[in-house]
Amino acid sequence: MEIVRNTLGDTAVLHLNGRLNLNSSAEAKNRIKELLDKRSRKIILNLTRVDFINSSGLGVLISVLKDIRLANSRLAITNLSPYVHEIFEITQLVNVFDIYDNEEAALDGFLLKSGDMGRLR
Amino acid sequence: MEIVRNTLGDTAVLHLNGRLNLNSSAEAKNRIKELLDKRSRKIILNLTRVDFINSSGLGVLISVLKDIRLANSRLAITNLSPYVHEIFEITQLVNVFDIYDNEEAALDGFLLKSGDMGRLR
Amino acid sequence: MEVYRFCFPSNLKYLDRVYDITSKILQDMPIDLMAKRRILTAVSEAVTNSLVHGNKENSDKTVRLTFQQNDGYLQIDVDDQGKGFAPQITSLIESAKKLEERGRGIPIMKAYVDEVRFKYMKRKGMKVSLRKNLA
Amino acid sequence: MEVYRFCFPSNLKYLDRVYDITSKILQDMPIDLMAKRRILTAVSEAVTNSLVHGNKENSDKTVRLTFQQNDGYLQIDVDDQGKGFAPQITSLIESAKKLEERGRGIPIMKAYVDEVRFKYMKRKGMKVSLRKNLA
Ligand SMILES: Nc1ncnc2c1ncn2[C@@H]1O[C@H](COP(=O)(O)OP(=O)(O)O)[C@@H](O)[C@H]1O
Ligand SMILES: Nc1ncnc2c1ncn2[C@@H]1O[C@H](COP(=O)(O)OP(=O)(O)O)[C@@H](O)[C@H]1O
């Protein structure tokens, strides 16, 4: 599992690359948490290059989500292949994660739902 | 095994593509013989895209060689990968086939060894 | 009948090997790509459980993975050398609500193949059998 | 110890499957690419013989291919359900001179792995064992 960090404005974008199974999950979890420093308030996990994910990989994403929520930050997941999307559906995790087609849609989503909109009120 | 026929001047060039094992050998043998009509006097078999060959595949090439010799035609084999070259060496078939690095070298070889040179004498 | 069997020590690094080899075995089967990915996922869940819960990652213990292709179905058995267990029913809805990090392996297997069976083999270990009907 | 085993009916179409799966198994082993190709070739020769000479392409008969990786070597067994045979020594030089179309399988196996053994298993069939030492 290779993880690359980019920045889009004030949003941290992590690209995950490879298989997310129990052999890669511990390392992936550490890497993701390491790459998300305290200042990351908005985080996108782009899964476009995740070839495989199973319950172990979903566990990693949930653990990351909990950390991000505790830090009062926000997480979006993007670019799920049909297969990856299916496992989120079957496990009901579509109702837990904010899932977007791509990074742009995720950025719009952050705007729409966040305090940034509040300022307009 | 896919086999494509080209022509280089008066030389028929067959490009073999794939694995030459006993599962493909009967079909490959028929195809090669079919593509070599009576008028082909000089024939090149380009093996650049042969990923795999074993004794069954070598048997096909020997059968083709015998037909070509009986028809008083000439055969050159070109573009052997290191692995394919090794099996020709181990089986002593480097001494049986005319083997060239590429099609150009094979054409030169035909000139050098053939009756075309005879005319110069 | 075709049978493919691999036995490997209980080390997580074999998860990737299992994935590669399972892909190869499924490659030429009369199953569409999405179904192949589902089977791959179900196999990964069963193998992970055998390595972790069954054999406790003890590398002296072996996991055995067997594929048998019959006319009507593909059967995949995962055998470990552990103490066995009695599967509980877990709700994916509950797990999602509670943000559980674990407990989705068996439900995913059930969602992804046509039949999942658990059997304790006396003095041997647990056998998890996945069955996928073929068209 | 890792063990990989495939059993398949005696049909030539399995030669390609055997090739694919053998490649996958060899993939992560500590052997260089050229040595892998040699092993693939030796395996293809042994399996071809078992399908054709051993089991006479009778699809009710099975060929069993087993890979066992130990610390010092990789052992590959090919078992058929045929009548067995006593291997003859053939000269590749003679075969080349005579433009023989056959008879190179066993010499190629011998050239490409460290050890080739033939054993007739009573009431079962022939077992051809290939052994490749690992660095
Ligand atoms: N092969 C096995 N041997 C022993 N216990 C097992 C085995 N497979 C599953 N279990 C038990 O069933 C539970 C549920 O498994 P599963 O649904 O895959 O979720 P998880 O593995 O994430 O806990 C495991 O926590 C374990 O207690
Ligand atoms: N598994 C086997 N069962 C029975 N006979 C075999 C087997 N393997 C090889 N043989 C015999 O040994 C001979 C030589 O085999 P080989 O060197 O592979 O050449 P080829 O298969 O091209 O004849 C075969 O022709 C066959 O008579």
Side-chain angles (χ1 to χ4, degrees), chain D:
Chain D
M1 195 177 66
E2 286 168 65
V3 182
Y4 298 89
R5 172 169 285 179
F6 325 110
C7 307
F8 45 90
S10 299
N11 183 311
L12 292 182
K13 73 177 183 195
Y14 286 100
L15 288 172
D16 289 305
R17 186 69 80 87
V18 162
Y19 182 92
D20 289 336
I21 295 205
T22 303
S23 307
K24 269 290 167 219
I25 291 175
L26 296 177
Q27 187 173 279
D28 301 328
M29 291 198 181
I31 313 173
D32 70 45
L33 199 66
M34 201 70 172
K36 284 179 185 170
R37 310 209 66 156
R38 291 186 194 118
I39 296 170
L40 269 165
T41 309
V43 168
S44 82
E45 298 294 353
V47 170
T48 303
N49 282 349
S50 292
L51 290 171
V52 176
H53 303 305
N55 291 351
K56 314 272 181 210
E57 292 180 63
N58 173 347
S59 60
D60 293 337
K61 290 188 172 176
T62 296
V63 171
R64 195 175 74 183
L65 175 62
T66 311
F67 295 78
Q68 294 186 53
Q69 187 182 350
N70 299 290
D71 279 345
Y73 58 89
L74 169 68
Q75 169 143 347
I76 304 167
D77 292 336
V78 183
D79 291 270
D80 65 39
Q81 301 183 304
K83 293 202 195 115
F85 73 111
Q88 309 290 312
I89 290 168
T90 37
S91 149
L92 286 169
I93 302 181
E94 281 306 304
S95 303
K97 275 194 192 142
K98 292 187 185 155
L99 297 182
E100 298 278 7
E101 291 173 35
R102 298 183 32 194
R104 293 182 181 82
I106 293 172
I108 287 175
M109 288 180 223
K110 289 183 177 164
Y112 277 173
V113 296
D114 294 304
E115 206 180 300
V116 182
R117 279 195 219 168
F118 299 90
K119 192 169 173 190
Y120 182 67
M121 315 293 286
K122 224 157 63 189
R123 280 186 293 276
K124 286 188 181 160
M126 202 67 194
K127 181 191 284 297
V128 179
S129 302
L130 311 174
R131 196 178 271 204
K132 169 76 192 162
N133 298 328
L134 302 176

Side-chain angles (χ1 to χ4, degrees), chain C:
Chain C
M1 196 177 66
E2 287 168 63
V3 182
Y4 298 90
R5 171 170 285 179
F6 324 111
C7 307
F8 45 91
S10 300
N11 183 312
L12 291 181
K13 73 178 183 193
Y14 287 100
L15 288 171
D16 289 305
R17 185 69 81 84
V18 161
Y19 182 92
D20 289 337
I21 294 204
T22 304
S23 307
K24 269 291 166 218
I25 291 175
L26 295 177
Q27 188 173 279
D28 301 328
M29 291 198 180
I31 313 173
D32 70 44
L33 198 67
M34 201 71 173
K36 284 179 185 169
R37 308 209 68 157
R38 291 186 193 117
I39 295 170
L40 269 165
T41 310
V43 168
S44 82
E45 298 295 353
V47 170
T48 303
N49 283 349
S50 292
L51 290 171
V52 176
H53 302 305
N55 291 351
K56 313 273 181 210
E57 294 180 61
N58 172 349
S59 61
D60 293 336
K61 291 190 172 176
T62 297
V63 171
R64 195 174 74 183
L65 175 62
T66 311
F67 296 78
Q68 295 186 52
Q69 185 181 351
N70 299 290
D71 279 345
Y73 57 91
L74 169 67
Q75 168 142 348
I76 304 167
D77 292 336
V78 182
D79 291 271
D80 65 40
Q81 302 184 305
K83 292 200 196 119
F85 72 111
Q88 309 291 312
I89 290 169
T90 38
S91 149
L92 287 169
I93 301 181
E94 282 305 305
S95 303
K97 275 194 193 142
K98 292 187 186 155
L99 298 183
E100 298 278 7
E101 291 173 35
R102 298 183 33 194
R104 293 181 181 83
I106 293 171
I108 286 176
M109 289 180 221
K110 289 183 176 164
Y112 276 173
V113 296
D114 294 304
E115 207 179 298
V116 182
R117 280 195 219 170
F118 299 90
K119 194 170 171 189
Y120 182 67
M121 314 296 284
K122 226 160 56 192
R123 280 188 292 276
K124 286 186 181 161
M126 202 67 194
K127 182 191 283 297
V128 180
S129 302
L130 310 174
R131 197 178 270 203
K132 169 75 191 164
N133 298 329
L134 301 176

Side-chain angles (χ1 to χ4, degrees), chain A residues 7-78:
Chain A
T7 312
L8 264 183
D10 60 349
T11 300
V13 183
L14 303 193
H15 283 251
L16 277 56
N17 193 337
R19 296 179 195 158
L20 208 41
N21 59 24
L22 194 61
N23 191 36
S24 60
S25 63
E27 187 206 337
K29 197 197 295 198
N30 292 340
R31 268 291 280 157
I32 294 173
K33 295 188 176 183
E34 200 178 282
L35 288 169
L36 295 177
D37 52 43
K38 304 283 121 54
R39 284 160 303 153
S40 315
R41 301 252 72 97
K42 299 176 201 163
I43 297 128
I44 293 177
L45 293 183
N46 182 325
L47 305 190
T48 193
R49 302 186 70 179
V50 169
D51 328 308
F52 179 77
I53 186 168
N54 64 8
S55 69
S56 317
L58 295 173
V60 169
L61 299 183
I62 292 171
S63 164
V64 168
L65 175 69
K66 290 197 280 196
D67 277 19
I68 290 175
R69 285 196 183 166
L70 276 176
N72 271 316
S73 300
R74 317 248 331 265
L75 174 69
I77 299 193
T78 72

